[in-house]
Amino acid sequence: MAIPRDTIEHIRQKAAIEDIIRRYVPTLTKKGKNYVGLCPFHKETSPSFTVSPDKQMFYCFGCHEGGNVFTFIAKVEHVDFVQSVKIVGEIVGIPVRNEEKQNDEYATLLAINAMIAERYRQALMSAAGKRALDYLLNRGVTRQGIDEFQLGYAPDEWQYATDILRQKNVPLDIAVKTGNINKSVKNSTSHYYDRFRNRVIFPIFDQKNEIIGFGGRIIESGEPKYMNSPESLVFQKRNILYGFNKARQHIAELGRAIVVEGYLDVIGVYQAGIQNVVAPLGTALTQEQLQLLSRLSNEVIIVFDADSAGVKASLRSLDVAANLNITIKIAQLPEMDPFDFVNKRGAREFMAVVDSALKPVDFRIERIIAENKGKSQVNVLKQIFDILRTIPFEVERQHYFKKLSSVFQVDEKAIRADYERFTKGKTTNGVIVTDNNTVDFYAKSQRELVLLLCNYPLLIENAIVDCSLQDFTDTVAKNIYQTLITLYEDNESFSLEKMFDFYPEGEEKKLLTQGFSKQFSFEDPHVAYSEIILNMKLFTIDKKINEFAEKIEKDNRENIQYYITEIEVLRREKEKLTSYIYNKGSIKH
Ligand SMILES: [Zn+2]
């Protein structure tokens, strides 16, 4: 995190969540202990959006959005956590400054990029850039598109950018950090030369419209076809989407983002009047990029070329999205890439393809069927079963059995039976195995425990004694527990509200949000605590007892007495535990 924790703490203490939120939710009025108003995150006519001054949290009973003051600002302003802290800081009069030195260097690198981008633009319009300009115009990029995306040309010279920097007295070693020029050392003399030569230049912008890097496309033949700036202080590919600076507002307004493969695709689709379009930088979508989009919209449509390389890339990015609160769909163009398609067929036909996008599972199934035309049905079904296995919900799986039965003209029961046989002994891919209630229950206890601890931080002292990190099988609860322990060991105070700083996104955030309205079954938090710990411990003991019982069934006679003794010991431990808890209200040994 770029902002020092004590600054965040300072801002938190000065910011009353109800005052900050009222700036965005004018309908906010006091009702009992809380404030209620019309939710800014979903359409509603009667208020279900609630702010608790006690908890310093908000929660919407309609759309279940919730969090602390920073999460609110991040969501409503479409910014990340760091940005949201800065905004709240501005409101309460505590300006956030980044570390000065880094800030200086950051600004310097941006200034160098801006300077060079300007000269690349001039070069595109010069005689030397004629071939590059012709290439763009012939492909179908309009003059307006060239201006809008500030396209340029890196001349076929080794020292074009280098000379510009020299003339402007920019220290070349600093310029090397932008990746615009490279350095080689021969006989202890440094040589500097341009990275981009004879390429069309696509400046890459951040959200504040600063140029943080470049993409360069070779004009005729040559390798590599595309080349990007290297990673630097200002340029981290996994966090950036090409076109995001322009598309951001449109994505937020439409609630939908269109992702295409390349720079030209973005420009082509944008030129055609479809402006909620972005592209990753030459790789599959990353978790960070999807997170960026999920803050603005709830649907991402990945549109890829007709060739299969793009499809593979898009399929890889799906696994990344599994735990984000966003719907991903895939559309594949029947021919060409998005740039040519939209140019030749127009925006309306392009949007028809976008609107026909399929959910990933459907997409995968359709592909398997299409690729295996004429092959044995059993073989095709096996591949499909492998996909169905990854669906965490039985209800959804049933839907596909129906569908397959009509596609293959086979009785649904037969398909289901084959599926059962095929998947026997293989594990499903759900976060929590849904057909096993005991596991659900154990995971639930763990989640309740961390929520209780967030609400009653003093209980952490007991928890550290009673419950080690290894006792956690649920990843979400485990992560939060780990953070709680770390804060405790660092002598830092914590609260439910503060935990959102560490988890502004994802499953952990979802769980923490539930804490807003969580009613524990006991008035006294100590009793609730003991109940949960008891449940967790009893579960572990029961699991061991079952294991021994199974061994008795399978193992040979000699060991049976040993297993019976072990079970007896465990049973006694269980009884002791139960009575101890109800007598003393705590498990401290
Ligand atoms: Zn809502």
Side-chain angles (χ1 to χ4, degrees), residues 366-568:
E366 295 225 337
R367 260 180 81 80
I368 288 174
I369 294 174
E371 281 171 358
N372 291 284
K373 279 224 168 83
K375 293 199 185 140
S376 101
Q377 208 175 67
V378 175
N379 211 330
V380 178
L381 274 173
K382 268 188 191 164
Q383 292 182 50
I384 294 174
F385 288 159
D386 246 338
I387 292 167
L388 295 187
R389 212 153 54 80
T390 63
I391 299 175
F393 298 106
E394 200 53 46
V395 191
E396 209 179 321
R397 195 160 22 242
Q398 298 300 331
H399 157 80
Y400 287 106
F401 289 146
K402 268 206 186 68
K403 200 171 153 182
L404 288 177
S405 118
S406 84
V407 170
F408 288 101
Q409 302 282 314
V410 181
D411 182 40
E412 197 184 321
K413 270 195 207 128
I415 289 197
R416 200 171 312 199
D418 278 346
Y419 174 80
E420 301 296 341
R421 214 156 350 105
F422 177 76
T423 52
K424 208 163 188 204
K426 296 187 180 176
T427 49
T428 49
N429 195 28
V431 184
I432 296 165
V433 181
T434 43
D435 57 359
N436 190 334
N437 283 327
T438 47
V439 175
D440 265 348
F441 176 75
Y442 188 49
K444 207 176 133 223
S445 301
Q446 296 162 41
R447 290 180 172 216
E448 286 207 321
L449 179 64
V450 293
L451 280 186
L452 183 71
L453 293 174
C454 290
N455 272 308
Y456 301 98
L458 289 178
L459 288 169
I460 188 78
E461 292 191 0
N462 300 42
I464 283 172
V465 176
D466 290 331
C467 200
S468 79
L469 210 52
Q470 282 80 44
D471 292 332
F472 282 81
T473 55
D474 178 77
T475 333
V476 175
K478 189 176 190 169
N479 288 342
I480 295 176
Y481 192 60
Q482 168 85 72
T483 306
L484 293 178
I485 293 176
T486 311
L487 287 172
Y488 175 76
E489 282 168 354
D490 292 349
N491 270 322
E492 264 207 60
S493 70
F494 62 82
S495 63
L496 179 63
E497 172 259 318
K498 188 165 165 179
M499 293 307 289
F500 288 95
D501 294 2
F502 300 93
Y503 302 105
E505 303 282 345
E507 286 300 310
E508 287 83 2
K509 182 205 166 192
K510 255 193 230 164
L511 175 62
L512 292 168
T513 306
Q514 289 171 19
F516 182 89
S517 51
K518 175 84 188 152
Q519 297 290 325
F520 292 96
S521 40
F522 295 91
E523 288 284 298
D524 181 350
H526 286 271
V527 181
Y529 170 80
S530 300
E531 176 82 6
I532 295 170
I533 292 283
L534 173 69
N535 283 338
M536 285 174 66
K537 288 206 181 288
L538 289 182
F539 176 87
T540 317
I541 291 175
D542 280 337
K543 200 172 137 223
K544 278 189 200 151
I545 290 179
N546 283 337
E547 278 165 17
F548 282 121
E550 247 175 56
K551 281 183 181 159
I552 289 178
E553 272 186 27
K554 285 182 191 156
D555 220 326
N556 52 34
R557 292 186 72 88
E558 292 123 68
N559 292 325
I560 285 185
Q561 194 49 48
Y562 165 73
Y563 293 143
I564 291 177
T565 321
E566 282 296 310
I567 289 180
E568 200 42 49

Side-chain angles (χ1 to χ4, degrees), residues 39 42 60 63:
C39 179
H42 84 281
C60 173
C63 67

